[in-house]
Amino acid sequence: MEIKHIVLRRKLRILVSVLFVAGFIISVFYVKDLSPNSDDRKLRELQGLVLSLPTPSSFIKIDETASSRHMDAGVYLYYLSNESKESVWEFYRNALSAKGWRERAGSGDLSFTRLDTTISVQYRAPPAGWNVAVSAVWQSPGSFAVTVPER
């Protein structure tokens, strides 16, 4: 009787473990459908937002990437420019402040927030293929920070 009890407990543990893993795997497949970014809604909003952002006439667009998950989405634009970091910062400070974006201090890059969306401007010295990156990122409350992917 003791051996039957031990075998039954082991089988129960295995069953509980299998159900837990199966539940986790199923939730991974369906979690985005239940999020505010279902059907990439937030990604499409960000794509419209970056299209509406002003860009200095000297900017040459090098690349554009995007990501979309259940807790965050982002659109990243990469430019080559002969403008100085200071003039790029001044341009975006003026343009985004005029549209109601609030500058966020302390990130190292130039960042602006409005509700659950952040616009960031990175500048790095050439020759890196690009020297200015402008990103628009949506984050669901409680999600981890998303940064511009290194290229």
Side-chain angles (χ1 to χ4, degrees):
M1 180 127 165
E2 183 73 27
I3 293 176
K4 286 183 181 180
H5 185 65
I6 292 172
V7 170
L8 184 61
R9 288 177 76 190
R10 283 188 181 166
K11 286 182 179 180
L12 185 60
R13 275 192 214 148
I14 291 171
L15 178 63
V16 168
S17 297
V18 168
L19 289 175
F20 177 77
V21 170
F24 177 76
I25 290 171
I26 290 170
S27 72
V28 166
F29 287 109
Y30 293 104
V31 72
K32 189 171 178 184
D33 292 337
L34 303 173
S35 79
N37 193 28
S38 62
D39 297 326
D40 292 328
R41 184 174 344 140
K42 293 293 184 177
L43 177 63
R44 286 193 303 278
E45 289 175 18
L46 293 174
Q47 289 168 329
L49 173 63
V50 297
L51 286 175
S52 73
L53 291 178
T55 319
S57 59
S58 66
F59 277 27
I60 299 169
K61 188 173 173 183
I62 301 298
D63 197 8
E64 178 178 341
T65 60
S67 67
S68 181
R69 301 182 300 185
H70 71 288
M71 295 290 284
D72 55 54
V75 177
Y76 311 92
L77 307 175
Y78 302 92
Y79 298 98
L80 191 58
S81 173
N82 58 4
E83 307 251 352
S84 70
K85 179 179 181 177
E86 292 76 21
S87 71
V88 170
W89 263 216
E90 181 181 356
F91 177 87
Y92 280 103
R93 272 194 181 106
N94 293 336
L96 294 173
S97 296
K99 291 186 173 202
W101 289 85
R102 292 182 28 169
E103 188 171 348
R104 186 174 69 180
S107 68
D109 298 322
L110 186 61
S111 294
F112 296 84
T113 58
R114 188 164 64 191
L115 301 175
D116 54 4
T117 303
T118 301
I119 295 176
S120 296
V121 182
Q122 275 188 334
Y123 188 97
R124 66 185 203 187
W130 61 271
N131 65 327
V132 178
V134 178
S135 62
V137 175
W138 163 80
Q139 295 175 336
S140 179
S143 67
F144 297 105
V146 175
T147 57
V148 174
E150 282 299 318
R151 295 195 114 344

